[in-house]
Amino acid sequence: MDNAFQVDLRGVVDLLSRHLYSSPRVYVRELLQNAADAITARRAADPDAPATVTIEATGGLISVRDTGIGLTEDEVHALLATIGRSSKRDELGFARHEFLGQFGIGLLSGFLVADEISVETRSAKGGPTVLWTGRSDGRYRVELAPADRAEPGTTVTLRTRHDAAEWAAPRTVAELAELYGSLLPVDVTVNGRRTTLGTPPWRAAHPSPDARRRALQAHCEELFGFVPLDVVDLNVPEAGLTGVAYILPAPANPAVRGTHRVYLKRMLLTETADGLLPDWAFFARCVVDAAELRPTASREALYEDDLLDHTREELGRRLRAWLVRLAETDPAGLRAFLNLHHLGVKALALHDDDMLRLVDQWLEYETSSGPMTLAQFRLRHPGGRYTTSVDEFRQLAAVSGAQGVGLVNGGYVYDSEILARLRRIDPGAVLDRLEPAELATHLGPADPDAELRARPFLTAAARALDPLGCEVVLRDFDPASLPALYLTSRAAQHHADLREARDTGDALWADVLGALERSVAADRPRLVLNHRNPLVRRVTGLPDLTLAATAVEALYGMALLHGHHPLRPADTATLNRSFLGLLDWAVQGGTHD
């Protein structure tokens, strides 16, 4: 025998309050939604029907009166007594386009603040006024109202519980009605004060574009607390979406997803929607109204589907088109924007050639010749190079610049990928990554006589640094203030990493890594001593080769620190030993034999 499900309404209310709705305050939104939908249904048959919602809040009693289509007694039994049944879905169960609600649970939100809900309603189709009274324990009663309403419509009345008194305060009810329903196309009043604007600010008529811009800037400041750098109109016809994007006037954290204000059919869905824009567009905050996007059952978020994906892509295209237009019409405005939000544009440039051109032409990079755009850098340094780390750039910029090798700092986020993609927009753009060891070939050789005199010193220096896997060479280069330069290649760094892993691993891994190390070409790092530096010239002339070796170890440690290279335990020990050795020599007055 088939049996019908029994529903524990108190359990359902607990489910709504704890798991579906984020706060009891949504009861105002749900009551407004039902009232607006009832008015929409009546106006479909009678376009001249009044469109008003009157809310009275006093003494813990809240009533919401609308001029909507109302319900017959049969509809009251069918719709109000069955959880999940709604008149706002078609015969196939799909949401009807013109209505805000669709899930048949909106009225239950009243039980978040009250134990009893009464609905007095008269249908525009005819019939008497019906009174439905429901309680949170699941009981309900349907009867004829004591007096007939003069006009069709519905009045919902809540007598709030003592523990929900804060949600029934007149000021709170007015604020919530204004928050959720300020853009509704009906007149909503709370205790005699109108809370609706009527027309969304971005669709309001203004005498001039400047006046419209000022009005939207004021709207942004009221909603978000900042005056936007610019305002971008948004329009996605497939989603029935219109609105504006406000460009942040200060740098934003790209790791924090921006939140947006979303209305559905002019009823506020959420103030904190995320995922409406592509991740790269973290520099914008949106206010939009959509007719076709789907809400979740709680009506506090957007449902992820193909239409939302399409909307996100289209909004990204709108912002991208705004950037391109800004580059063409307002270069100063574009520079101001890039100074603040270059990360978002860089992220877009990774897969968009137009944005890559914009970055190439307008965004300044740190180079060995000072700040300049990539296009300017390529003109000045046709055979330029770039580094993939900030520390490497800082170590090598002065040296490479002095040798005529242009260098771009590609160590910040997205930069190295952008530099590698430049060939997509300019096949002649040759910007290769700098191999630090390659720079040694651009450094001039020392004077042959000086190198001959320094041969004993170089032999002692090579012996001191050989255990550290480093070679010593003498060169003559600018800037003269730099005594030593530590240069290593990627192959040498890989070789060093293998050796360190072998030394710290267990016996089995030591054998495996040792075999790998032997298979890798032994490309050793170099300590390049600058003979043009006065200190280096004095060190190479030291008669005490033991002291000279200690000095070279100190220069080696200083070059590692200057280049922000990681220090291995052996490097740290060498640096400490050389420092103590030189300190001991200085304390004893340089009298070592």
Side-chain angles (χ1 to χ4, degrees):
M1 182 177 66
D2 291 337
N3 293 285
F5 281 106
Q6 300 297 313
V7 176
D8 179 356
L9 185 57
R10 194 176 295 278
V12 171
V13 172
D14 182 70
L15 178 67
L16 293 177
S17 61
R18 295 181 184 273
H19 302 287
L20 184 63
Y21 296 127
S22 62
S23 166
R25 71 176 188 166
V26 299
Y27 83 93
V28 175
R29 182 195 67 197
E30 296 298 322
L31 296 180
L32 275 177
Q33 170 188 294
N34 286 341
D37 283 342
I39 291 171
T40 300
R42 184 178 178 187
R43 284 197 148 191
D46 180 7
D48 296 325
T52 62
V53 179
T54 304
I55 302 176
E56 298 289 339
T58 179
L61 199 66
I62 299 171
S63 69
V64 180
R65 181 184 182 95
D66 67 63
T67 57
I69 195 169
L71 298 172
T72 65
E73 184 173 356
D74 289 341
E75 289 171 337
V76 167
H77 281 286
L79 299 175
L80 299 188
T82 305
I83 296 172
R85 179 173 293 178
S86 174
S87 63
K88 303 166 191 177
R89 294 197 293 263
D90 61 23
E91 60 275 7
L92 297 178
F94 295 107
R96 289 164 63 184
H97 176 271
E98 63 270 22
F99 296 129
L100 295 164
Q102 57 179 288
F103 296 104
I105 59 174
L107 187 62
L108 294 180
S109 66
F111 288 124
L112 299 176
V113 297
D115 286 329
E116 183 177 290
I117 301 174
S118 67
V119 178
E120 182 188 87
T121 181
R122 178 184 172 190
S123 175
K125 304 172 187 176
T129 302
V130 179
L131 178 63
W132 177 92
T133 305
R135 298 187 59 82
S136 59
D137 59 9
R139 293 180 292 120
Y140 75 92
R141 183 176 67 252
V142 179
E143 57 189 333
L144 294 180
D148 260 346
R149 293 172 61 102
E151 292 289 335
T154 300
T155 300
V156 178
T157 304
L158 310 178
R159 186 174 296 278
T160 56
R161 299 189 304 270
H162 291 300
D163 62 351
E166 61 177 305
W167 301 111
R171 180 177 178 178
T172 301
V173 174
E175 289 175 350
L176 292 175
E178 187 170 6
L179 172 69
Y180 288 115
S182 62
L183 299 187
L184 285 174
V186 299
D187 289 331
V188 179
T189 60
V190 179
N191 291 343
R193 184 175 73 86
R194 186 178 181 184
T195 60
T196 45
L197 299 175
T199 303
W202 56 91
R203 293 168 61 180
H206 294 282
S208 68
D210 286 343
R212 180 177 186 270
R213 179 183 176 88
R214 288 193 297 271
L216 289 175
Q217 286 176 334
H219 177 245
C220 176
E221 187 171 17
E222 179 183 356
L223 289 185
F224 299 120
F226 64 84
V227 177
L229 189 68
D230 204 350
V231 179
V232 183
D233 284 298
L234 304 176
N235 182 26
V236 183
E238 297 86 347
L241 182 146
T242 63
V244 287
Y246 295 120
I247 307 302
L248 292 170
N253 185 351
V256 178
R257 300 189 72 177
T259 55
H260 312 284
R261 195 179 184 96
V262 176
Y263 294 82
L264 288 186
K265 301 181 180 75
R266 297 172 64 169
M267 171 73 79
L268 179 68
L269 178 76
T270 177
E271 300 171 274
T272 57
D274 62 3
L276 183 67
L277 294 181
D279 288 342
W280 56 263
F282 54 81
F283 50 79
R285 296 291 179 270
C286 295
V287 183
V288 300
D289 177 49
E292 304 296 339
L293 294 179
R294 296 171 56 194
T296 58
S298 67
R299 291 186 55 80
E300 294 180 324
L302 292 169
Y303 186 82
E304 285 286 346
D305 57 12
D306 290 343
L307 181 57
L308 181 57
D309 287 341
H310 172 75
T311 299
R312 188 181 296 121
E313 292 176 3
E314 285 299 314
L315 293 180
R317 289 192 184 98
R318 292 278 175 174
L319 289 173
R320 171 187 167 279
W322 166 74
L323 283 170
V324 172
R325 186 171 64 253
L326 202 63
E328 296 171 349
T329 62
D330 186 7
L334 179 64
R335 290 191 185 95
F337 170 81
L338 290 177
N339 286 337
L340 296 172
H341 304 300
H342 56 275
L343 282 180
V345 179
K346 286 181 181 180
L348 185 55
L350 295 182
H351 53 81
D352 186 289
D353 288 350
D354 284 338
M355 289 298 102
L356 185 61
R357 292 186 184 93
L358 188 147
V359 167
D360 182 46
Q361 295 290 330
W362 296 99
L363 188 61
E364 287 192 341
Y365 275 72
E366 189 178 6
T367 79
S368 56
S369 300
M372 64 180 65
T373 67
L374 295 177
Q376 292 169 336
F377 177 82
R378 294 202 311 279
L379 287 175
R380 186 176 297 186
H381 302 283
R385 299 285 191 272
Y386 68 89
T387 65
T388 56
S389 78
V390 176
D391 288 338
E392 191 174 67
F393 174 81
R394 290 172 179 169
Q395 178 197 14
L396 302 177
V399 178
S400 65
Q403 316 314 312
V405 179
L407 197 61
V408 177
N409 185 359
Y412 295 109
V413 63
Y414 305 130
D415 283 346
S416 58
E417 294 93 334
I418 287 174
L419 291 166
R421 288 191 78 243
L422 284 177
R423 286 185 177 88
R424 288 184 58 88
I425 60 172
D426 182 2
V430 181
L431 279 181
D432 294 324
R433 177 179 174 180
L434 176 71
E435 184 68 61
E438 170 194 351
L439 192 58
T441 62
H442 294 272
L443 303 179
D447 179 75
D449 291 338
E451 191 162 6
L452 183 62
R453 291 193 300 270
R455 185 169 296 173
F457 161 79
L458 293 174
T459 301
R463 190 181 306 116
L465 297 188
D466 183 67
L468 300 172
C470 182
E471 297 178 354
V472 181
V473 295
L474 189 64
R475 293 289 187 268
D476 192 301
F477 58 91
D478 286 323
S481 58
L482 182 66
L485 187 64
Y486 180 84
L487 297 178
T488 183
S489 65
R490 278 171 281 181
Q493 185 61 49
H494 181 54
H495 195 272
D497 292 341
L498 282 175
R499 187 191 317 162
E500 183 176 0
R502 182 201 64 190
D503 294 341
T504 58
D506 56 29
L508 175 60
W509 281 109
D511 290 341
V512 173
L513 294 172
L516 287 174
E517 183 185 359
R518 288 189 293 273
S519 68
V520 176
D523 186 5
R524 308 182 84 193
R526 291 180 176 183
L527 180 67
V528 183
L529 300 177
N530 186 3
H531 191 259
R532 194 167 295 185
N533 181 268
L535 174 62
V536 171
R537 288 201 298 270
R538 287 198 296 271
V539 169
T540 57
L542 286 173
D544 184 348
L545 295 182
T546 301
L547 179 59
T550 302
V552 166
E553 290 177 338
L555 289 171
Y556 169 80
M558 186 185 71
L560 288 178
L561 293 174
H562 180 262
H564 297 273
H565 296 284
L567 296 180
R568 301 167 297 173
D571 298 329
T572 303
T574 298
L575 185 60
N576 289 337
R577 184 173 61 249
S578 64
F579 174 76
L580 293 174
L582 292 175
L583 185 61
D584 180 57
W585 180 83
V587 168
Q588 296 190 34
T591 58
H592 279 84
D593 295 329

